[in-house]
Amino acid sequence: MKVGLLLLAPLLLLSACRPPQPDPQAAQQIAALSARIGTLETEVAELKAGQRDSGVANADDVTARAAAQSCAIALARALELFRQGSVGSRYPTPSQVDLPDACES
């Protein structure tokens, strides 16, 4: 009887070391997640392509903003030069303002 138990013990241990069987529910979840990842990667690629296309369309906006900023800087410089050269350190009235060339376009 003891000999039978000694032979049976290694068999039980070997059967306990068997690799786990795949879980069908986990396989379904992995497949669903893989599909979702594929969809998201496609959406990201489309968004990146759209940004590249809209970057060209916004060139006029960028140019207009740069021109406006250049005008603002030139006007601020002209107003400050007027103030520094005036009696009483005052800024010009609207009728005294000469727009800089950057603002004439």
Side-chain angles (χ1 to χ4, degrees):
M1 181 83 132
K2 286 187 179 185
V3 174
L5 285 177
L6 287 176
L7 291 174
L8 187 60
L11 289 175
L12 290 173
L13 288 175
L14 287 176
S15 66
C17 295
R18 201 176 76 193
Q21 299 297 320
D23 183 7
Q25 187 178 9
Q28 290 173 350
Q29 290 175 345
I30 290 172
L33 288 173
S34 295
R36 181 71 178 136
I37 288 171
T39 302
L40 290 173
E41 287 175 342
T42 302
E43 289 177 12
V44 167
E46 289 172 356
L47 288 172
K48 284 182 178 179
Q51 285 177 343
R52 276 185 247 127
D53 294 342
S54 67
V56 174
N58 288 333
D60 292 336
D61 293 340
V62 171
T63 303
R65 279 193 304 252
Q69 186 176 14
S70 177
C71 172
I73 291 169
L75 184 58
R77 186 178 299 124
L79 293 174
E80 187 59 27
L81 287 174
F82 183 95
R83 185 192 67 80
Q84 289 175 359
S86 71
V87 176
S89 292
R90 65 173 188 83
Y91 286 104
T93 62
S95 62
Q96 293 175 317
V97 173
D98 290 323
L99 288 178
D101 290 340
C103 299
E104 294 294 331
S105 56

